[in-house]
Amino acid sequence: MLTSLPENKDTTESIIRNESISRFRYFPTYNIHSMSALIRDSQLIITPDTSIVHLASAESKPVVAFYLAASEWLPYKINSYVILPKKGESIKTIPFDVVKEGVITMLSNKFIPDTYTTHIVYCDEPLKIEVRKELF
């Protein structure tokens, strides 16, 4: 499922249609309650650094998140794959293959019980991945 702000609905649906993304459906979320329900029933959340990361943390859902910099506001006590673009660039420059690897990693369920793992991926040359493991 793919969602966006209500004012971006037409653009989002157009992208789904034009890119022939047959396995995606647009799901409008008009308030925090509908977004929370969508997150609660999801297997994985993919989002930029927004409140969605924190809602996913509250629901204990794994996240692939796009941040401009690693800070204290990373996903909290959940398995996550945080991707940072090259310094000074926007998140839209993050390579698709890096995102795909994050999705595969988060869906693999190969995590140690009673711990959470944060992968921080730096898209600078060469690609660098920092892995942090902590107990719940």
Side-chain angles (χ1 to χ4, degrees), residues 58-125:
E59 292 291 340
S60 300
K61 297 296 181 174
V63 172
V64 174
F66 313 115
Y67 280 71
L68 292 176
S71 71
E72 64 185 289
W73 300 109
L74 295 177
Y76 184 70
K77 292 192 176 185
I78 56 170
N79 292 317
S80 59
Y81 201 93
V82 175
I83 306 171
L84 310 171
K86 291 179 182 177
K87 284 189 170 100
E89 295 189 9
S90 73
I91 62 171
K92 68 182 179 182
T93 65
I94 294 172
F96 176 76
D97 288 342
V98 175
V99 177
K100 182 178 174 183
E101 182 60 31
V103 170
I104 291 168
T105 299
M106 290 294 98
L107 292 177
S108 72
N109 293 320
K110 295 179 183 174
F111 296 101
I112 301 167
D114 299 324
T115 64
Y116 61 94
T117 303
T118 301
H119 298 78
I120 302 176
V121 180
Y122 300 86
C123 290
D124 293 315
E125 302 293 330

